[in-house]
Amino acid sequence: MIAYIRGVFAEADGNMVILETAGGIAYEVAVMSADLDKLPAQGEELKLYTYLQVKEDGVALYGFFSKQDLTIFKLLITVSGIGPKLGLGILSSIGADELRMAVISEDADRLSAAPGVGKKTAGRLVIELKDKIMALSTSFAEEFAESSMEPAGSEPLENKQLRENALQVLIALGYAQKEAVKAVKAVEITDGMTDDEMVRLSLRQLG
């Protein structure tokens, strides 16, 4: 399995990116439409986390700028009837964060608005992915909190726990990690503050 590819960005054609490695091998990688805006200038270094699809008529590589987007993609294609090409199309249409929010809130209408997704498929997405995405959101929050929150000892342990609990809720609701961390860190914690109050104040920061 190819975990990631690092090389020089050569060119892009539609959503296909050509990445040339130091060994002179050029890989063609399909990326989300939203990630096209993140591409560096030609000749600059690019790293993509990848999923390799092996088919009877060949192989295909799908690339993502973050491990978290790749993880969501891998979950998405476990749903019956959704292959890598359709999965990438769904993420290109609504994005990984919005997909998570739609699944968690059981918004089948939003999911069915993505190309190739009907009402039945949207229902399967909710049924098969909700618990998995909730669990992943908690994992993402914990991992992100370790590197983004204030160092241990800079504030009372109970305050730090309040912030991490609120962060998990915001990410489970579909907010982007950086946006959620910024909101949680902006809240001034008072004596006796509860988890619900912390979440409510954090949501106010998000507007």
Side-chain angles (χ1 to χ4, degrees):
M1 179 173 177
I2 303 174
Y4 66 83
I5 298 176
R6 178 188 283 121
V8 172
F9 169 54
E11 61 180 285
D13 182 10
N15 73 323
M16 303 302 295
V17 170
I18 305 298
L19 191 60
E20 184 176 347
T21 66
I25 300 176
Y27 292 90
E28 185 177 59
V29 188
V31 301
M32 295 189 296
S33 297
D35 282 346
L36 292 173
D37 293 333
K38 303 176 185 177
L39 292 172
Q42 287 184 324
E44 293 186 358
E45 185 177 89
L46 174 62
K47 177 181 177 180
L48 294 173
Y49 295 94
T50 56
Y51 172 83
L52 176 65
Q53 179 191 25
V54 180
K55 305 180 293 182
E56 291 183 0
D57 57 346
V59 297
L61 269 174
Y62 296 82
F64 303 86
F65 277 78
S66 74
K67 287 184 179 180
Q68 293 178 5
D69 284 350
L70 174 60
T71 300
I72 294 297
F73 172 77
K74 286 181 177 179
L75 273 185
L76 186 56
I77 62 176
T78 64
V79 177
S80 176
I82 297 182
K85 186 175 181 179
L86 177 56
L88 190 71
I90 294 171
L91 291 179
S92 291
S93 174
I94 65 177
D97 287 336
E98 190 170 348
L99 172 73
R100 284 159 49 194
M101 181 179 288
V103 169
I104 290 170
S105 62
E106 301 183 9
D107 188 351
D109 289 338
R110 180 66 190 97
L111 293 169
S112 62
V117 179
K119 290 287 187 181
K120 290 184 178 179
T121 301
R124 285 202 304 273
L125 284 170
V126 171
I127 293 171
E128 296 185 30
L129 295 185
K130 184 175 181 179
D131 289 344
K132 295 177 182 178
I133 286 180
M134 286 289 288
L136 265 182
S137 295
T138 299
S139 175
F140 287 167
E142 291 173 345
E143 178 182 343
F144 201 73
E146 290 180 1
S147 60
S148 302
M149 289 300 189
E150 297 296 330
S154 61
E155 66 177 349
L157 180 60
E158 58 269 22
N159 288 8
K160 187 172 185 293
Q161 189 62 56
L162 273 174
R163 295 190 194 280
E164 292 185 1
N165 290 345
L167 179 61
Q168 291 178 20
V169 172
L170 295 185
I171 292 179
L173 289 173
Y175 290 100
Q177 286 89 337
K178 290 184 180 180
E179 185 180 28
V181 167
K182 184 178 179 180
V184 169
K185 290 174 72 173
V187 174
E188 182 177 350
I189 296 178
T190 58
D191 291 340
M193 182 178 287
T194 65
D195 283 335
D196 287 344
E197 290 171 334
M198 184 67 193
V199 170
R200 186 169 64 252
L201 291 173
S202 298
L203 287 170
R204 285 183 185 175
Q205 297 292 329
L206 293 165

